[in-house]
């Protein structure tokens, strides 16, 4: 783990120009993790499993009290962010959510196609 690495929200804050006007501020300016050590959210290299699970649980506790948890989570899913805890989810948990979304979207497309075929044939 590199010292001084920003938290998830801190990664997004670099170069932000609109911090003067709260109504225009990006969602991450209110993130709880902006005040926490980045090592909590990102795994150091060769981290033992027990240490990783403990660290991730601590990061999730920070996320649980965050006012922008849903925005952060959606950002990490849309990007997608390959590392760290974002929006209360680990990278592995985000992969599961994305797989479920793809499966659900595929099922919705299939249902829509069947409905269209019935409408056209009927």
């Amino acid at each position: 783990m590199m010292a001084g690495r920003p938290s998830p929200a801190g990664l997004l804050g670099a170069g932000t120009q609109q911090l003067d006007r709260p109504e225009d501020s990006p969602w991450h300016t209110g993130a709880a993790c902006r005040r926490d050590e980045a090592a909590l959210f990102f795994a150091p290299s060769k981290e033992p499993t027990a240490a990783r699970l403990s660290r991730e649980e601590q990061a999730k506790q920070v996320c649980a009290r965050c006012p922008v948890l849903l925005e952060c989570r959606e950002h990490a899913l849309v990007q997608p962010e390959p590392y760290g805890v974002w929006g209360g989810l680990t990278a592995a948990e985000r992969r599961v959510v994305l797989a479920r979304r793809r499966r659900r979207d595929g099922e919705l497309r299939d249902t829509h196609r069947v409905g269209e075929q019935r409408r056209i044939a009927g």
Side-chain angles (χ1 to χ4, degrees), residues 8-23:
L11 287 173
L12 300 171
T16 301
Q17 299 297 318
Q18 298 179 345
L19 298 180
D20 303 347
R21 299 172 49 198
E23 67 277 4

Side-chain angles (χ1 to χ4, degrees), residues 4 7 11 14 19 30 44-45 62 69-70 75-76 89 91-93 95 97 99 103 118:
S7 64
L11 287 173
L19 298 180
S45 61
V62 171
L69 178 133
L70 295 178
H75 161 82
L89 299 176
E93 292 166 334
R95 285 191 295 272
V97 169
R103 189 171 40 249
R118 286 183 183 157

Side-chain angles (χ1 to χ4, degrees), residues 88-103:
L89 299 176
T90 64
E93 292 166 334
R94 291 191 302 275
R95 285 191 295 272
V96 169
V97 169
L98 288 170
R100 287 179 181 160
R101 281 187 180 183
R102 282 190 295 272
R103 189 171 40 249

Side-chain angles (χ1 to χ4, degrees), residues 70-115:
L70 295 178
E71 293 90 338
C72 180
R73 180 176 296 171
E74 193 58 29
H75 161 82
L77 292 167
V78 169
Q79 281 307 310
E81 292 291 349
Y83 306 106
V85 174
W86 291 77
L89 299 176
T90 64
E93 292 166 334
R94 291 191 302 275
R95 285 191 295 272
V96 169
V97 169
L98 288 170
R100 287 179 181 160
R101 281 187 180 183
R102 282 190 295 272
R103 189 171 40 249
R104 182 198 65 210
D105 291 348
E107 290 170 358
L108 289 174
R109 278 192 302 275
D110 292 346
T111 301
H112 179 72
R113 280 191 206 118
V114 169

